Amino acid sequence: MTQPRSPLSVVIAGGGSAGHIEPALAFADALRRLRPSAEVTALGTERGLDTQLIPARGYRLELIPPVPLPRKPSGDLLRLPGRVRTAIGRVREVLAEVDADVVVGFGGYVALPAYLGARGRVPIVVHEANARAGLANRVGSRFAAVVATAVAGSGLPGERVVGMPLRRAITGLDRAALRTRARAHFGLPATGPVLLVFGGSQGARTLNTALAAALPGLLHAEIGVLHAHGRDGTPAPSAPGYVPLPYIDRMDLAYAAADAVLSRCGMTTVAEVTAVGLPAVYVPLPHGNGEQALNAQPVVDAGGGTLVPDAELTGERVLAELLPLLADRRRLAAMGAAARACGHGDADERLAGLVLEVVER
């Protein structure tokens, strides 16, 4: 067996949203645990959260031009205009500069030029987070050495289910031990139930609007609320017991402080919420190809959450779903246990192992 050059050079492509960046960085952390000498370079753009999240985790970031993706594939996909060619050219420059051994892509508009730039030059590993694969990964899977998925049934050829790579701060979280510290960190009530509400890094207007309507009823029931309203979102009016933030940097502490979650259901969200064992009311994003509802459905079927269509989420529905749940400690515990049973705590190292297999062939 031929051993790879040392140090191993891995390029990850998962920029844009936190849903793409976080699993990429969790994988990178696992790879460094398994191969401490490995050099990891992340591809990203100036759009989204790349420049904030990636350097903060200690990884080298190389910028490429953004390439917005169409929702549906077309016959002209590989002949898109000049910015695609420019992005592919920049990817190839980075691959040569870092002497890459493998490219690991996680979907999104950074992954597509990464796959096309690496094709025929560097082995490719694809990780698909959602129950229904996106366009970039459908393209990349056609010439990838390995296709890994978070859940079965992605539709990608030769899928190998590994789960969703998550930070060890999440998979190793002891909510009970951190509960007091976590609540103090956010300024939440020390006692009584707490609801965590979030809709992604940019926020979710439906969740924000419904929460604002439900907030008086939640606070009247002595339920604390930690609300990540998004950088572009609007918080509810200030009130004791309500803590609004544009973005939560310490999601581990947010999960430790909470007793239940109201959120969207991107695959990273579903994976984290199940890994920490929190019951949830999931509200799928009504756009895209329906993947968010598919992401949450196995957890709902197992009894770890409920699913509410975006169009049906009102203040009254929030109260109807969450007041009885948060008042019932036994039901909270049962749903939390069901949610945890759906999680994959070792997905980060399983994916890292597959990548090492590829480069060591």
Side-chain angles (χ1 to χ4, degrees):
M1 179 182 293
T2 301
Q3 295 296 322
R5 299 180 307 279
S6 183
L8 175 67
S9 177
V10 178
V11 172
I12 57 175
S17 68
H20 288 122
I21 297 170
E22 288 296 346
L25 295 181
F27 156 76
D29 291 344
L31 181 69
R32 280 187 168 175
R33 289 195 301 272
L34 296 177
R35 187 68 66 82
S37 63
E39 295 180 352
V40 179
T41 304
L43 299 177
T45 75
E46 293 181 346
R47 296 173 54 176
L49 298 171
D50 305 19
T51 58
Q52 299 171 48
L53 298 183
I54 295 172
R57 293 278 286 276
Y59 291 102
R60 171 179 177 175
L61 172 64
E62 293 291 341
L63 299 178
I64 65 173
V67 182
L69 297 181
R71 278 289 177 183
K72 297 180 180 179
S74 70
D76 295 328
L77 182 61
L78 301 181
R79 298 187 295 276
L80 290 175
R83 60 185 174 187
V84 176
R85 293 192 294 272
T86 301
I88 292 172
R90 176 59 186 146
V91 167
R92 289 174 177 166
E93 289 176 359
V94 173
L95 296 181
E97 181 181 341
V98 303
D99 198 14
D101 291 295
V102 63
V103 168
V104 186
F106 294 81
Y109 56 75
V110 174
L112 182 60
Y115 297 147
L116 297 177
R119 184 181 187 183
R121 290 170 168 80
V122 180
I124 295 166
V125 174
V126 168
H127 182 273
E128 174 55 52
N130 289 300
R132 183 174 291 162
L135 175 59
N137 280 350
R138 293 203 302 274
V139 173
S141 67
R142 297 174 185 172
F143 39 85
V146 171
V147 176
T149 63
V151 294
S154 69
L156 299 182
E159 68 176 15
R160 298 173 68 172
V161 179
V162 300
M164 171 67 81
L166 299 173
R167 293 169 291 162
R168 285 300 165 103
I170 300 298
T171 58
L173 182 67
D174 186 337
R175 288 174 48 221
L178 284 176
R179 182 182 179 93
T180 299
R181 174 190 162 196
R183 292 193 173 196
H185 176 84
F186 292 110
L188 288 160
T191 60
V194 166
L195 174 66
L196 170 61
V197 183
F198 62 100
S201 57
Q202 304 305 315
R205 181 180 300 178
T206 301
L207 270 64
N208 292 347
T209 301
L211 177 65
L215 188 62
L218 293 168
L219 297 178
H220 180 74
E222 299 185 338
I223 296 169
V225 178
L226 177 58
H227 178 204
H229 53 78
R231 292 190 172 92
D232 299 327
T234 303
S238 178
Y242 170 61
V243 179
L245 295 168
Y247 184 79
I248 298 175
D249 292 311
R250 290 296 304 273
M251 282 302 294
D252 56 331
L253 294 182
Y255 291 137
D259 296 282
V261 169
L262 171 66
S263 71
R264 292 294 192 202
C265 37
M267 196 62 219
T268 297
T269 295
V270 174
E272 290 191 349
V273 171
T274 55
V276 301
L278 276 168
V281 174
Y282 293 114
V283 185
L285 186 71
H287 308 298
N289 58 10
E291 68 271 14
Q292 287 210 351
L294 294 174
N295 292 340
Q297 195 62 56
V299 183
V300 173
D301 292 343
T306 58
L307 203 61
V308 177
D310 185 85
E312 297 179 14
L313 190 73
T314 62
E316 291 80 5
R317 185 66 180 272
V318 170
L319 296 176
E321 294 284 348
L322 286 159
L323 285 183
L325 173 61
L326 287 164
D328 188 340
R329 302 303 302 180
R330 292 180 65 181
R331 186 180 169 207
L332 281 171
M335 288 184 67
R340 186 184 292 276
C342 297
H344 296 271
D346 63 347
D348 55 345
E349 291 194 352
R350 291 180 67 186
L351 180 60
L354 290 178
V355 171
L356 291 175
E357 287 179 15
V358 168
V359 298
E360 291 172 357
R361 286 174 181 170

